[in-house]
Amino acid sequence: RCAEIEAKMYETAIAFIQKRFPTGWGGAGVVHTAQGSFFTSVALESANAGVLLCIETGAMCEAHKYNERVTHCLCVVREDENAPFTVLSPCGVCQERLRYWGDGVQVGVTTPDGALRFVPLYELQPYHWTAAYPPEELEHFTGPAEQK
């Protein structure tokens, strides 16, 4: 089931990029939720780089808006319409955003061979700062975490 979700996320991202950015650079973020939704987003564009958000942020906000638990997150870019598509691992800020739904959220990661690969957040951050606190102290700051 996960492989199907991940493949559909990748296909969704590519189709969205081709439609939204027919020429030049393009990027799309896709999240999948436990309820079966797929939300897509793009990065905001602004002359002031200080106000920009990551590509996948809008999709995370949509999931949060509908109170759906994110299970997977993927960011795909290409340099221009002739370039290959590349998966970008989530930056540290997006990793923090995704932890709202637990450290088991599966994220697409950059690989040397370009293969589509997802890993849980806890593999990207094995020494995350939240380990210093008992889970009940963090419950106020987390959403509907992954069911174990």
Side-chain angles (χ1 to χ4, degrees):
R1 172 99 172 106
C2 277
E4 293 171 24
I5 290 167
E6 294 161 0
K8 182 169 181 177
M9 290 176 72
Y10 188 74
E11 293 164 10
T12 299
I14 289 172
F16 192 84
I17 292 168
Q18 291 171 332
K19 180 178 178 185
R20 172 67 172 79
F21 304 100
T23 60
W25 180 92
V30 180
V31 299
H32 175 264
T33 69
Q35 293 81 351
S37 300
F38 291 88
F39 296 106
T40 59
S41 61
V42 298
L44 292 173
E45 296 180 35
S46 173
N48 180 349
V51 301
L52 299 179
L53 294 172
C54 296
I55 295 168
E56 60 271 44
T57 304
M60 287 185 237
C61 289
E62 284 292 298
H64 185 64
K65 177 173 80 177
Y66 293 108
N67 198 30
E68 295 193 21
R69 183 175 57 82
V70 171
T71 61
H72 294 73
C73 183
L74 177 65
C75 179
V76 179
V77 298
R78 63 136 201 256
E79 291 304 314
D80 63 44
E81 65 275 14
N82 300 309
F85 291 94
T86 303
V87 172
L88 298 181
S89 300
C91 74
V93 173
C94 283
Q95 290 179 46
E96 290 294 323
R97 290 174 179 139
L98 289 164
R99 284 186 77 92
Y100 175 77
W101 293 285
D103 64 1
V105 173
Q106 298 288 315
V107 295
V109 294
T110 306
T111 59
D113 61 359
L116 183 60
R117 180 170 180 220
F118 283 74
V119 301
L121 275 177
Y122 62 78
E123 284 189 21
L124 292 181
Q125 295 183 336
Y127 303 102
H128 193 263
W129 63 268
T130 54
Y133 298 94
E136 59 274 7
E137 286 188 31
L138 299 170
E139 287 175 2
H140 175 73
F141 302 103
T142 60
E146 180 176 4
Q147 303 297 317
K148 300 283 179 175

mmCIF file of all heavy atoms in Angstrom, residues 78 80-84:
data_model
loop_
_atom_site.group_PDB
_atom_site.id
_atom_site.type_symbol
_atom_site.label_atom_id
_atom_site.label_comp_id
_atom_site.label_asym_id
_atom_site.label_seq_id
_atom_site.Cartn_x
_atom_site.Cartn_y
_atom_site.Cartn_z
ATOM 1 N N ARG A 78 12.271 20.403 -10.886
ATOM 2 C CA ARG A 78 13.089 20.227 -12.094
ATOM 3 C C ARG A 78 13.624 21.611 -12.460
ATOM 4 O O ARG A 78 12.997 22.638 -12.185
ATOM 5 C CB ARG A 78 12.283 19.619 -13.235
ATOM 6 C CG ARG A 78 11.121 20.488 -13.695
ATOM 7 C CD ARG A 78 11.052 20.535 -15.220
ATOM 8 N NE ARG A 78 10.318 21.704 -15.598
ATOM 9 C CZ ARG A 78 9.068 21.726 -16.036
ATOM 10 N NH1 ARG A 78 8.396 20.608 -16.168
ATOM 11 N NH2 ARG A 78 8.498 22.862 -16.361
ATOM 12 N N ASP A 80 14.331 22.832 -15.576
ATOM 13 C CA ASP A 80 13.585 23.358 -16.717
ATOM 14 C C ASP A 80 12.829 22.207 -17.353
ATOM 15 O O ASP A 80 12.949 21.059 -16.922
ATOM 16 C CB ASP A 80 14.501 24.081 -17.720
ATOM 17 C CG ASP A 80 15.548 23.179 -18.354
ATOM 18 O OD1 ASP A 80 15.218 22.041 -18.765
ATOM 19 O OD2 ASP A 80 16.713 23.602 -18.447
ATOM 20 N N GLU A 81 12.058 22.512 -18.393
ATOM 21 C CA GLU A 81 11.188 21.487 -18.985
ATOM 22 C C GLU A 81 11.939 20.317 -19.616
ATOM 23 O O GLU A 81 11.340 19.283 -19.916
ATOM 24 C CB GLU A 81 10.233 22.118 -19.998
ATOM 25 C CG GLU A 81 10.905 22.703 -21.218
ATOM 26 C CD GLU A 81 11.418 24.125 -21.045
ATOM 27 O OE1 GLU A 81 11.515 24.626 -19.914
ATOM 28 O OE2 GLU A 81 11.738 24.749 -22.078
ATOM 29 N N ASN A 82 13.252 20.459 -19.820
ATOM 30 C CA ASN A 82 14.047 19.372 -20.394
ATOM 31 C C ASN A 82 14.871 18.610 -19.355
ATOM 32 O O ASN A 82 15.519 17.633 -19.686
ATOM 33 C CB ASN A 82 14.984 19.938 -21.476
ATOM 34 C CG ASN A 82 14.209 20.595 -22.591
ATOM 35 O OD1 ASN A 82 13.281 20.015 -23.145
ATOM 36 N ND2 ASN A 82 14.549 21.833 -22.913
ATOM 37 N N ALA A 83 14.834 19.066 -18.128
ATOM 38 C CA ALA A 83 15.653 18.469 -17.073
ATOM 39 C C ALA A 83 14.901 17.331 -16.380
ATOM 40 O O ALA A 83 13.673 17.302 -16.366
ATOM 41 C CB ALA A 83 16.034 19.544 -16.054
ATOM 42 N N PRO A 84 15.651 16.425 -15.773
ATOM 43 C CA PRO A 84 14.997 15.353 -15.018
ATOM 44 C C PRO A 84 14.364 15.902 -13.737
ATOM 45 O O PRO A 84 14.757 16.954 -13.229
ATOM 46 C CB PRO A 84 16.152 14.402 -14.684
ATOM 47 C CG PRO A 84 17.377 15.248 -14.731
ATOM 48 C CD PRO A 84 17.106 16.312 -15.760
#
